[in-house]
């Protein structure tokens, strides 16, 4: 079953975040995921806007998602993400 990792980010130190961002694709491409969106102009439809960016990634199962998220390569670069943005992320199951 497909799973999705959905992250919302609020930049706190944008230059530090941009350093993480410059490394992300190279690391992500080593894993079997698909980057569905990385939008820095999300349109608010309801509620209060609390983020500057939304990222959606798809994986073939929770194990594949966790393999990426907890990999040494991703953990190394995510230090900059954590220093440059407040992030909320969830892992959700797909319907198929």
């Amino acid at each position: 079953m497909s799973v999705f990792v959905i992250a919302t980010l609020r930049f706190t130190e944008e230059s530090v975040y941009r350093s993480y961002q410059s490394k992300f694709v190279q690391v992500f491409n080593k894993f079997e995921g698909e980057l569905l969106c990385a939008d820095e102009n999300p349109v608010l439809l309801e509620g209060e806007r609390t983020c500057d960016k939304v990222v959606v990634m798809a994986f073939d199962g929770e194990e594949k998602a966790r393999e990426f998220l907890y990999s040494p390569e991703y953990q190394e670069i995510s230090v900059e993400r954590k220093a440059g943005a407040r992030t909320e992320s969830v892992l959700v199951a797909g319907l198929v």
Side-chain angles (χ1 to χ4, degrees):
M1 176 188 298
S2 293
V3 299
F4 302 91
V5 174
I6 303 168
T8 59
L9 300 102
R10 170 69 83 179
F11 302 134
T12 55
E13 293 290 334
E14 193 168 344
S15 63
V16 176
Y17 177 81
R18 297 295 177 207
S19 179
Y20 155 82
Q21 184 179 35
S22 72
K23 301 167 189 163
F24 175 84
V25 171
Q26 182 178 359
V27 172
F28 185 79
N29 285 341
K30 294 179 181 179
F31 297 87
E32 298 174 26
E34 182 178 359
L35 184 60
L36 300 178
C37 78
D39 190 345
E40 292 190 14
N41 295 297
V43 177
L44 181 65
L45 299 176
E46 187 173 333
E48 295 181 35
R49 184 170 176 168
T50 60
C51 67
D52 297 312
K53 183 174 186 174
V54 175
V55 177
V56 179
M57 297 170 275
F59 296 90
D60 287 332
E62 185 174 338
E63 184 177 316
K64 294 286 187 185
R66 290 182 184 277
E67 183 180 317
F68 164 67
L69 293 168
Y70 299 118
S71 69
E73 299 94 334
Y74 184 67
Q75 289 298 305
E76 182 178 331
I77 68 168
S78 69
V79 170
E80 289 179 311
R81 176 186 50 78
K82 292 173 184 177
R86 288 192 320 261
T87 305
E88 291 185 3
S89 61
V90 294
L91 184 126
V92 297
L95 296 176
V96 182

